[in-house]
Every structure is written in C-alpha cells, then in structure tokens.
Amino acid sequence: MPANLQEMTLVPELSSHQIRQIDGGYCHTLALTEDGRVLSLGCGEDGQRGSTEAGSTDISVVSLPERASAISAGLNHSLALTESGRVYAWGSNEYGQLGVPGDEPRALPVPVGGLPRGLRVTGVSAGSTHSHVITEGGVVFSFGGGGSGQLMNGKCDEARHEPTPAVAAVEGQS
C-alpha cells in the first residue's frame, strides 16, 4: 500500500479521463467523467467503490443503467444521480444510508427506494452514515443514521431506511 502523500500529486489513474466532479469518502474516491461515467478508487470493503473487487487498487467503472450527472462519497457509501433524476446508492447500509431495506452492504448500485413518483431529484449528498437528496421543487429527503439530528426531521432517530422529507425549520421562519 502506498504511503500517505504530503503534497499535491497527479493521480495517474485519472489522467486519461476528463473529470467533471470528484468527491472523497473515508478511504475511497469517486470521479464523474464528462461523458457521465462514475469511476472509483481506494478501499471497498463495504462495497463503496461499486465493485465486487474490494481489495483491488485499480480504478473501477461503476455500472449504472444510464449516465450520471452528480456523485457523492460518504464515509463508506456512495451515491450517484443520473441524468433522468434517478438516484443509485452502494456500499455500507448499516444505518439505512442507501435508502433500501435491510442493513447489508451492497457492492453494486441499487436504486434508492421510497421516493414519491414524479419527483425529479436534482442533487445528492452522502454524509458519514446518512444521505440526502433534493428535488426540483426544493424538497429535501433524508435517510440513514440520524442519532444526532442530521436527518433534519426534528428528531434524533437511530436510523431510517426509507427517504423521509426533512422538516427542520430555519430560525426565524415557520
């Protein structure tokens, strides 16, 4: 395993790709290319790389059914938003941060369930053990670990496996 770097260095694995967005998780990195592919590097013991090759240090291409428009890397999970507004998640699901039932990790992308039909998602954000999506109309849905109130639902819930509208009020507004 290579040593930690103390200065900025070119990532040779990405040098042949035109990168639009990059995001780093705890020990994995996602890169979104200009042509909508999602690349992953780093560790993947919980499936956060979107590949069944957990021990590989090579670059992986995450298999999605369509082009991605945005990515987000959490602690040990990952999210991708597709051009049609669908959300896919993979990696650790210990706290429900993938938005699917159960707590098993998923090495390959699964569609986030529980979002109302007809809503177009325009943004994704993967936190430590939680996730958020925002819709075209500005509605935020949260899921995953919420023990510190990070799901913005006014509660300190242990975990929510299904997206729930965030209802946290902004100070001074009702």
Side-chain angles (χ1 to χ4, degrees):
M1 168 111 359
N4 289 333
L5 301 174
Q6 302 295 319
E7 58 189 56
M8 291 184 69
T9 305
L10 177 68
V11 179
E13 294 87 352
L14 297 178
S15 63
S16 64
H17 303 278
Q18 290 193 331
I19 304 300
R20 179 188 325 166
Q21 182 189 352
I22 195 155
D23 198 22
Y26 174 65
C27 63
H28 74 291
T29 299
L30 298 177
L32 176 62
T33 66
E34 286 293 339
D35 62 359
R37 289 180 302 139
V38 177
L39 310 176
S40 65
L41 301 106
C43 68
E45 289 78 13
D46 289 312
Q48 64 267 42
R49 287 190 56 190
S51 168
T52 56
E53 299 176 21
S56 173
T57 57
D58 294 333
I59 193 168
S60 296
V61 178
V62 178
S63 179
L64 292 167
E66 61 182 298
R67 293 168 44 124
S69 61
I71 53 171
S72 187
L75 180 70
N76 289 321
H77 74 290
S78 302
L79 301 173
L81 174 64
T82 66
E83 289 181 338
S84 69
R86 296 184 68 198
V87 180
Y88 289 84
W90 60 95
S92 174
N93 197 37
E94 182 177 358
Y95 297 93
Q97 61 266 48
L98 302 185
V100 297
D103 60 1
E104 310 83 27
R106 309 292 172 94
L108 300 174
V110 294
V112 170
L115 292 168
R117 289 188 186 270
L119 286 182
R120 181 174 168 80
V121 174
T122 58
V124 294
S125 177
S128 178
T129 60
H130 61 287
S131 300
H132 302 288
V133 301
I134 188 166
T135 67
E136 198 168 52
V139 178
V140 174
F141 288 84
S142 304
F143 43 101
S148 299
Q150 63 268 47
L151 297 184
M152 303 184 305
N153 62 1
K155 301 175 184 173
C156 288
D157 295 332
E158 284 305 309
R160 292 197 178 253
H161 288 76
E162 190 167 297
T164 305
V167 295
V170 176
E171 189 174 323
Q173 297 181 3
S174 54

